[in-house]
Amino acid sequence: MRADPQLWNYSWRTSYPVRLRKERILLGREVRLGEMKLFWCPSCNLPVVAQRICPRCGEDTRVVRLTPPGDARPAFEGDIRLIREVVGRNFGERAAEAFVRDGEVVFINRAPSVDLHHEVIAGGEVLGAVIYDLKEGDFRLTLREGGSARIVDVAERGVITVDGGAAQAILERGASLLRPGALEVRGGVKKGQEVLLLDPSGRLFAGGRATADLPPGEVSPGKGMVVKVRWKSPTSPIPPPPALMSIQDVVEANREYLKYLEQKGVEFVREVRKKFPRLPVVVSYSGGKDSLATLLVVLEAGLKPPILFVNTGLEFPETLQNVRDVARRYELDVLEATPTADFYSEIERFGPPGRDYRFCCKSLKLGPVVKLIGERFPQGVLSFIGQRRYESFGRMEKGEVWRNPWVPGQIGASPIQDWTALEVFLYILMKGAPLNPLYRRGLDRIGCWLCPATDMGDLEVIGGEHPHWERWSEFLARWAERESLPKEALRWGTWRYRRPPGWLREMARREGISLPEDLRRGWMGMLEMEEGRDRIVLKGVKDKGRLLNILYAVGEVKEGVVRTPEGEVLVEVSGQEVVLKGSAVGDLVGFLKSVAIRSQECVHCGICPGRCPTGALTLGPSGIEIDEKTCVSCRHCLLGPCPAEAYRPSRGFSF
């Protein structure tokens, strides 16, 4: 039965309202970035995307209650293996097979958490979650009613029968299970393990987490809590029926809706193209699902642009192969941008990259893009980019068309801005496009293999296989020693933050470890600056000639004097100390500091030269250089952001 296209336009909002929150929300609370789009048809046992009416039988569907933002995706082979491994470790192999059946369609929803937290969806409801425990350095399981009901009869361990009084206290007051109320344990229980609770009649009525070891058999007398109860139900939970079908069946059932999405994307591409008719077009391609879906929509719109790929040197081998496969499949040219900067040299200066300290994106990705655009598209370029609102607050707020202050000359546009990950994957499968095989191994995101945005759980799954793993591990060990961090802190992924968040500080405190406020303090010889009323004192200037050269960006330099519209700045040199002084310093302090940092600590990203309107600023072997004959001192190169400035370590200088 054909569903009404009006229902595809999210007219179901009135029955399931979602209020988008633009403010950043603390961890553990709801994060709304868009509409919840995963529905289920109870009659067909069929997953349905964004439709209140089942496209197969015409009956009403119901929304699957996911943890927001609800960016669910199909579970692939690697996900299923991990889910079964974790369930089997808790309850035995038969339980693992019953939890996720062979031939069943399963979805994964990544919930906000301190690390990997995958809700497992099957049969129209959330069965439980696989969570990476940073403290233990391992995966653990949490169950909900439906998942518990699937395995309770076949579980070999982790099941406790309780007496009537304890069952009543749990159901009526939400009490924890105390040792006197536990009667018998099936197969034994380990502290921290997920457990299921049965009443004296053998009915499943609650579940939670063990707080003590219990051997199999009758429970010996004693005191204390043995189970922290997470869920309880006055009636026996009914296990959701397995959706025994292939993911291709799901694609076919949702084909009309996916074609509708594609058409909306095509219309967007053509509309944006009309707004910028003189700009050449590229598709930014990373080897990931979102950029692939974007490319497919652009091709469907009748365009055949080259793909722009940034090879940072930190890509997975599978990603490099995927870029080649996609280019060959669709007969596209590849514009490959490569960084001048070397990652392993950069981290010796900056320390490891962090979620709040992403200098690497600027020097290894955006810098090469700026350089390539300047060389190939000096008048600018329209780049279709696979950005989605469900990925982050920043991307939600950016909109469908934008300009990036780090990349002059580029207009970015995303035809899949409002798509969920599920829509992206189903669309790619419908088109039969080459999907990066790393997704089938269980990765959520594809990019630099050691990106600080990656969860430690993902690195546990696949990171150790990368050719650079040993080199990276050796660096982290040196960094941890320099910052006086114990090995436990490395296992927690402390390196992924410059300023450790509150939850990480608290976890460290409980282990007797005090984390500093700034974990990037004092790397390599940093330029020191002291600011006075009419002067700036620079200490540790290693290349005075380059400093004088880059001062041309501010004004004409002649015989130790910088002549600017604001007045003159005198330059006094004594060894590695340089003093910039004069009445104009106060008006030019921002530009002068910028020149000092960029001339002495250039990271070879190429962003500054990309802003120069005359071509006077270029990137040489030792950093940026100015052709003094063609420089007009317009200061455009200093007006935009610079990674050397934005991500300076905080020890050894003062502003």
Side-chain angles (χ1 to χ4, degrees):
M1 178 176 179
R2 175 172 293 188
D4 184 354
Q6 290 298 318
L7 296 176
W8 297 341
N9 202 21
Y10 316 136
S11 60
W12 44 266
R13 289 175 182 169
T14 54
S15 64
Y16 188 63
V18 173
R19 180 170 65 88
L20 299 184
R21 303 180 184 181
K22 290 189 176 181
E23 71 273 15
R24 279 155 176 74
I25 301 175
L26 295 176
L27 193 65
R29 298 177 63 185
E30 288 188 352
V31 180
R32 300 279 188 182
L33 301 177
E35 309 291 355
M36 307 288 274
K37 296 187 182 181
L38 180 58
F39 285 68
W40 211 276
C41 174
S43 300
C44 301
N45 197 16
L46 175 73
V48 177
V49 185
Q51 301 173 69
R52 291 184 61 189
I53 303 297
C54 176
R56 178 178 288 179
C57 71
E59 297 294 325
D60 289 344
T61 61
R62 57 180 174 81
V63 70
V64 180
R65 302 287 175 167
L66 307 176
T67 299
D71 197 24
R73 64 169 177 83
F76 293 106
E77 298 90 332
D79 301 298
I80 300 300
R81 281 195 299 271
L82 178 60
I83 292 167
R84 285 180 166 172
E85 177 189 334
V86 176
V87 174
R89 200 187 308 159
N90 272 255
F91 296 101
E93 292 304 315
R94 292 179 62 199
E97 294 171 1
F99 188 76
V100 174
R101 314 285 179 85
D102 289 336
E104 181 174 15
V105 172
V106 180
F107 298 99
I108 293 293
N109 179 51
R110 195 181 195 96
S113 184
V114 298
D115 209 83
L116 186 146
H117 185 129
H118 280 173
E119 291 180 336
V120 182
I121 303 105
E125 64 179 89
V126 178
L127 305 181
V130 171
I131 300 169
Y132 187 74
D133 190 319
L134 283 174
K135 183 179 176 182
E136 300 299 327
D138 201 358
F139 295 95
R140 61 180 175 85
L141 175 72
T142 63
L143 289 177
R144 295 194 189 178
E145 294 94 316
S148 302
R150 280 194 172 196
I151 67 173
V152 63
D153 292 335
V154 295
E156 300 163 21
R157 51 185 173 270
V159 181
I160 303 175
T161 301
V162 308
D163 66 27
Q168 184 177 2
I170 291 170
L171 288 172
E172 293 181 356
R173 304 196 307 272
S176 298
L177 176 63
L178 303 180
R179 191 180 190 96
L183 299 177
E184 187 175 4
V185 179
R186 186 194 304 174
V189 167
K190 295 292 185 182
K191 182 179 179 180
Q193 178 183 339
E194 197 74 2
V195 294
L196 306 179
L197 302 183
L198 308 181
D199 66 15
S201 68
R203 181 183 70 87
L204 172 67
F205 76 97
R209 194 167 182 80
T211 57
D213 292 343
L214 293 175
E218 292 186 8
V219 179
S220 59
K223 297 181 179 180
M225 181 172 66
V226 292
V227 176
K228 177 70 174 177
V229 174
R230 181 183 304 106
W231 67 267
K232 55 189 175 64
S233 175
T235 59
S236 296
I238 300 174
L244 299 176
M245 63 183 73
S246 70
I247 192 65
Q248 203 59 43
D249 293 329
V250 180
V251 171
E252 290 304 317
N254 290 276
R255 178 176 288 273
E256 285 191 48
Y257 172 72
L258 295 172
K259 295 296 290 183
Y260 164 79
L261 268 187
E262 178 183 65
Q263 184 57 37
K264 298 293 286 186
V266 166
E267 291 171 3
F268 171 82
V269 169
R270 290 173 177 168
E271 181 182 340
V272 173
R273 187 75 186 95
K274 287 181 181 178
K275 289 182 179 179
F276 305 99
R278 297 184 179 180
L279 291 182
V281 176
V282 299
V283 171
S284 296
Y285 190 74
S286 67
K289 67 182 189 305
D290 296 331
S291 58
L292 178 55
T294 297
L295 174 62
L296 296 174
V297 171
V298 171
L299 292 174
E300 195 67 29
L303 303 179
K304 197 170 183 179
I307 57 177
L308 195 165
F309 172 64
V310 184
N311 186 352
T312 64
L314 299 174
E315 315 303 321
F316 285 100
E318 293 88 342
T319 297
L320 300 177
Q321 184 60 47
N322 178 261
V323 174
R324 292 190 288 268
D325 292 343
V326 167
R328 188 183 309 113
R329 170 78 170 269
Y330 300 104
E331 299 179 340
L332 301 173
D333 292 331
V334 179
L335 305 178
E336 184 170 322
T338 55
T340 306
D342 173 67
F343 174 74
Y344 291 99
S345 298
E346 295 295 276
I347 58 178
E348 293 294 346
R349 171 182 293 182
F350 290 103
R355 294 184 175 188
D356 55 346
Y357 188 62
R358 297 194 193 188
F359 65 87
C360 48
C361 290
K362 311 308 184 283
S363 58
L364 300 182
K365 285 188 175 181
L366 299 186
V369 169
V370 170
K371 183 173 182 290
L372 186 145
I373 290 175
E375 294 172 351
R376 299 293 297 267
F377 310 108
Q379 302 306 313
V381 67
L382 172 60
S383 183
F384 287 101
I385 300 172
Q387 170 190 285
R388 298 185 301 111
R389 67 183 305 126
Y390 289 87
E391 296 177 283
S392 68
F393 281 102
R395 295 190 174 189
M396 179 189 76
E397 295 169 345
K398 188 180 287 186
E400 296 174 316
V401 182
W402 67 91
R403 292 180 184 270
N404 189 333
W406 289 90
V407 187
Q410 182 192 61
I411 293 175
S414 175
I416 65 166
Q417 173 73 359
D418 295 326
W419 292 25
T420 63
L422 180 56
E423 290 168 329
V424 168
F425 276 113
L426 293 182
Y427 177 65
I428 291 171
L429 294 172
M430 181 184 76
K431 303 291 282 188
L435 184 66
N436 193 318
L438 291 172
Y439 287 117
R440 299 193 178 277
R441 297 179 63 182
L443 287 191
D444 275 308
R445 60 180 304 279
I446 305 297
C448 298
W449 72 272
L450 49 66
C451 178
T454 301
D455 286 331
M456 295 302 290
D458 283 331
L459 287 176
E460 181 76 16
V461 170
I462 204 169
E465 300 176 14
H466 195 276
H468 292 184
W469 178 258
E470 288 189 12
R471 185 177 184 183
W472 171 244
S473 299
E474 290 171 1
F475 166 78
L476 282 183
R478 286 194 293 111
W479 170 77
E481 182 178 359
R482 184 164 182 170
E483 296 293 344
S484 302
L485 295 175
K487 292 181 179 180
E488 292 90 334
L490 277 185
R491 191 178 70 232
W492 303 336
T494 308
W495 61 269
R496 296 176 299 164
Y497 301 93
R498 174 174 179 172
R499 294 178 174 84
W503 64 264
L504 185 54
R505 289 180 177 281
E506 178 61 20
M507 187 167 74
R509 186 190 65 78
R510 291 179 180 180
E511 297 299 311
I513 299 171
S514 177
L515 296 179
E517 290 187 7
D518 191 334
L519 287 170
R520 305 295 189 274
R521 302 167 300 165
W523 283 78
M524 294 188 70
M526 303 299 297
L527 178 71
E528 296 183 30
M529 291 188 279
E530 297 176 0
E531 180 185 344
R533 187 172 183 179
D534 61 350
R535 67 185 57 211
I536 298 174
V537 180
L538 309 176
K539 298 180 179 180
V541 178
K542 296 182 178 180
D543 193 335
K544 294 177 284 295
R546 189 174 303 277
L547 172 65
L548 292 171
N549 174 253
I550 305 304
L551 278 170
Y552 264 87
V554 179
E556 182 185 9
V557 182
K558 196 170 185 178
E559 297 179 353
V561 178
V562 185
R563 294 181 173 86
T564 77
E566 292 83 359
E568 294 185 345
V569 176
L570 303 180
V571 183
E572 295 182 352
V573 179
S574 176
Q576 289 193 350
E577 181 174 295
V578 175
V579 179
L580 307 175
K581 64 180 183 179
S583 59
V585 167
D587 295 328
L588 297 170
V589 62
F591 287 123
L592 295 175
K593 287 180 177 180
S594 184
V595 165
I597 295 170
R598 298 184 193 207
S599 67
Q600 303 302 300
E601 299 176 358
C602 178
V603 298
H604 297 81
C605 69
I607 293 176
C608 296
R611 297 194 188 97
C612 181
T614 66
L617 186 65
T618 57
L619 190 61
S622 301
I624 53 174
E625 301 172 350
I626 284 181
D627 181 350
E628 300 168 4
K629 295 180 180 179
T630 56
C631 178
V632 295
S633 303
C634 65
R635 305 175 187 173
H636 283 171
C637 58
L638 303 177
L639 292 176
C642 163
E645 290 186 69
Y647 298 100
R648 295 191 91 217
S650 59
R651 185 196 302 155
F653 72 97
S654 60
F655 271 16

